[in-house]
């Protein structure tokens, strides 16, 4: 199934300075065959992969298309989708380390009241996917609306107010993967720092660590070509 989505996305590209080293051609051929096979087996549109082999060099391979008539190229940046949650979680821990938040603070200390959200849910429960909240991206009514106007930039508040359904569990109960948790965590980042979440990502991670091919689409421009983001959560195939 072809899918790659989240409201918060980052892009990644391997440092081009590593490409000057020579990679074993036999190993390179095997790696290329592997990604070609994976693309076919899992019916995905396109793959871009890199392998850093100590003492040998760097291999970069591509397979498939970005969209019809546009093949994947090794200089394209890709959405990393829910891997963005890792950055979000680390940022919240940094804010706790700097005493801007506490992990057991409740939502009502930072955010207004939302329908179907218990304001006593804690930051820790959001991070651990134990909020009991409904995953707003699972609402089948949302996908057609988003695909109907792909140029629209949705705020977290708009999505939550219009498409969040009733909780599926009590806070602190069973683990359940939920994108709603990270919508709220992004809002907490903004409320506690006074900055947009993407500015905090850039100031705390991207710029200090030299991650110059990372960024947040819709808010930041890219010099590199961007691979098409395919979404098929509800069988849309777009």
């Amino acid at each position: 199934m072809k899918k790659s989505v989240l409201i918060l996305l980052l892009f990644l590209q391997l440092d081009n300075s590593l490409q000057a080293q020579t990679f074993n051609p036999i190993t390179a051929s095997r790696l290329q065959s592997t990604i070609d096979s994976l693309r076919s087996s899992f019916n995905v549109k396109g793959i871009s992969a890199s392998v850093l082999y100590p003492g040998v060099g760097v291999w970069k391979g591509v397979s498939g298309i970005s969209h019809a008539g546009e093949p994947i190229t090794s200089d394209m940046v890709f959405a990393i989708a829910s891997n963005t949650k890792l950055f979000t979680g680390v940022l919240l821990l940094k804010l706790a380390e700097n005493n801007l938040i506490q992990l057991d603070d409740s939502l009502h200390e930072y955010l207004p009241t939302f329908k179907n959200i218990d304001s006593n849910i804690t930051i820790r429960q959001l991070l651990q996917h134990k909020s009991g909240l409904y995953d707003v991206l699972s609402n089948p009514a949302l996908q057609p609306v988003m695909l109907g106007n792909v140029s629209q930039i949705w705020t977290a508040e708009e999505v939550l107010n219009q498409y969040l359904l009733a909780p599926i569990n009590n806070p602190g109960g069973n683990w359940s993967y939920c994108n709603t948790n990270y919508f709220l965590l992004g809002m907490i980042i903004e409320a506690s720092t006074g900055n947009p979440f993407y500015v905090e990502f850039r100031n705390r991670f991207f710029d200090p660590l030299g991650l110059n091919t990372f960024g947040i689409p819709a808010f930041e421009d890219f010099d590199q070509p961007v691979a098409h983001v395919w979404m098929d959560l509800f069988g849309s195939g777009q």
Side-chain angles (χ1 to χ4, degrees):
M1 183 169 62
K2 304 174 286 292
K3 59 181 180 180
S4 59
V5 230
L6 272 200
I7 297 303
L8 307 186
L9 300 177
L10 303 173
F11 290 98
L12 170 64
Q13 182 184 30
L14 188 67
D15 188 342
N16 289 329
S17 65
L18 297 174
Q19 298 177 46
Q21 304 176 62
T22 301
F23 202 90
N24 184 291
I26 296 176
T27 304
S29 177
R30 290 174 177 172
L31 290 170
Q32 183 64 49
S33 295
T34 298
I35 64 170
D36 289 339
S37 175
L38 287 171
R39 181 177 60 82
S40 176
S41 297
F42 290 96
N43 190 31
V44 298
K45 289 291 184 180
I47 296 175
S48 179
S50 296
V51 175
L52 171 60
Y53 198 147
V56 177
V58 174
W59 172 84
K60 298 181 72 173
V62 296
S63 182
I65 61 170
S66 171
H67 58 269
E70 185 71 26
I72 292 290
T73 61
S74 61
D75 62 340
M76 286 181 173
V77 290
F78 276 68
I80 64 170
S82 286
N83 285 305
T84 310
K85 290 183 174 68
L86 174 62
F87 287 84
T88 303
V90 172
L91 180 49
L92 267 296
L93 294 177
K94 291 297 292 184
L95 296 182
E97 187 179 81
N98 295 334
N99 295 316
L100 290 175
I101 64 164
Q102 300 298 319
L103 295 183
D104 292 312
D105 287 345
S106 299
L107 288 180
H108 65 75
E109 299 179 53
Y110 301 94
L111 304 180
T113 300
F114 291 94
K115 182 181 178 181
N116 292 323
I117 294 180
D118 184 342
S119 291
N120 292 312
I121 291 171
T122 67
I123 294 173
R124 189 186 302 274
Q125 289 168 338
L126 295 174
L127 288 168
Q128 294 178 338
H129 290 294
K130 291 185 176 182
S131 68
L133 294 173
Y134 174 80
D135 185 348
V136 69
L137 293 186
S138 296
N139 188 337
L142 175 59
Q143 189 82 350
V145 176
M146 293 179 65
L147 291 175
N149 185 2
V150 295
S151 64
Q152 179 178 348
I153 299 174
W154 291 76
T155 67
E157 291 87 349
E158 288 173 331
V159 176
L160 295 177
N161 283 326
Q162 296 180 50
Y163 296 100
L164 184 64
L165 303 183
I168 63 171
N169 205 343
N170 293 322
N174 293 334
W175 180 93
S176 180
Y177 187 85
C178 178
N179 290 291
T180 306
N181 296 335
Y182 280 75
F183 279 52
L184 295 168
L185 289 169
M187 295 165 68
I188 290 171
I189 289 170
E190 296 187 341
S192 61
T193 65
N195 291 321
F197 71 89
Y198 63 91
V199 171
E200 287 295 315
F201 279 9
R202 181 150 302 284
N203 290 344
R204 293 176 181 269
F205 302 134
F206 304 160
D207 288 346
L209 297 174
L211 302 176
N212 56 13
T213 59
F214 278 73
I216 308 293
F219 300 106
E220 299 181 309
D221 295 327
F222 293 89
D223 294 330
Q224 302 91 344
V226 177
H228 182 73
V229 178
W230 289 84
M231 300 186 291
D232 195 23
L233 292 180
F234 301 107
S236 64
Q238 297 187 45

